Amino acid sequence: LMEDYDFPEYEVHTKHHVRLIQEVQELKKKYAAGEIRMDMRLVNFLKDWIINHILTEDRKYGPYLNDKGLN
């Protein structure tokens, strides 16, 4: 929808998701290799994503799309 409705921050938003996927894949690789374990670093990473991305960045496109007639 962001792309279909020309959301101005579409490319930046997509790059954030690509970076998240890369970081999660790296964490998964390190966990599988026994290099890291479930600890506060992982919890903080996920918390940061939720707070800084989902609760701020993802909320930006809702009003934009609503203004385009989507509810």
Side-chain angles (χ1 to χ4, degrees), residues 7-68:
F7 181 61
E9 297 179 34
Y10 171 73
E11 288 185 29
V12 171
H13 193 92
T14 300
K15 287 178 184 179
H16 289 171
H17 281 261
V18 168
R19 190 182 81 232
L20 169 69
I21 291 166
Q22 291 170 339
E23 289 180 31
V24 168
Q25 289 173 336
E26 184 64 26
L27 288 169
K28 180 181 174 185
K29 179 180 162 187
K30 288 181 178 181
Y31 180 78
E35 296 173 21
I36 63 170
R37 57 190 170 111
M38 290 291 194
D39 60 10
M40 287 309 294
R41 178 176 172 247
L42 181 57
V43 172
N44 287 333
F45 167 76
L46 296 172
K47 183 177 89 173
D48 180 65
W49 178 261
I50 291 169
I51 291 171
N52 292 318
H53 185 83
I54 295 173
L55 295 179
T56 57
E57 296 301 317
D58 283 348
R59 288 189 174 197
K60 288 180 181 178
Y61 62 83
Y64 178 83
L65 293 174
N66 286 340
D67 288 344
K68 298 289 185 181

